[in-house]
Amino acid sequence: INLTYAIAGILLGIISAITTYKLFNKISEFNMQEELEKGNLAVGMVVGGLFIMIGLIVGLITGMSLN
């Protein structure tokens, strides 16, 4: 059963990261994909921060569900 929780946590993390990226891209005044292709480091740091934040949240939820 713990393996099921771990797999569900991984899937939840991937889905959450993609959804957050797309939602943040829609509400921001610029296109993050285009800015990343231009080499905009500030946008890269924001995207990295989003993924780290989602990873921490999902990791905590998954860890709490395993105990």
Side-chain angles (χ1 to χ4, degrees):
I1 194 161
N2 286 344
L3 180 63
T4 306
Y5 285 138
I7 292 172
I10 291 169
L11 292 175
L12 179 66
I14 292 170
I15 292 169
S16 298
I18 292 170
T19 304
T20 304
Y21 177 81
K22 288 183 178 186
L23 180 66
F24 191 76
N25 199 21
K26 283 188 182 211
I27 63 173
S28 63
E29 297 178 3
F30 53 89
N31 188 346
M32 287 196 292
Q33 184 66 31
E34 291 176 3
E35 294 296 324
L36 287 173
E37 289 173 0
K38 290 184 206 174
N40 191 336
L41 292 178
V43 174
M45 291 176 70
V46 168
V47 171
L50 283 172
F51 288 150
I52 290 171
M53 176 191 65
I54 293 299
L56 288 172
I57 292 170
V58 172
L60 285 172
I61 292 170
T62 305
M64 288 172 27
S65 67
L66 291 175
N67 289 330

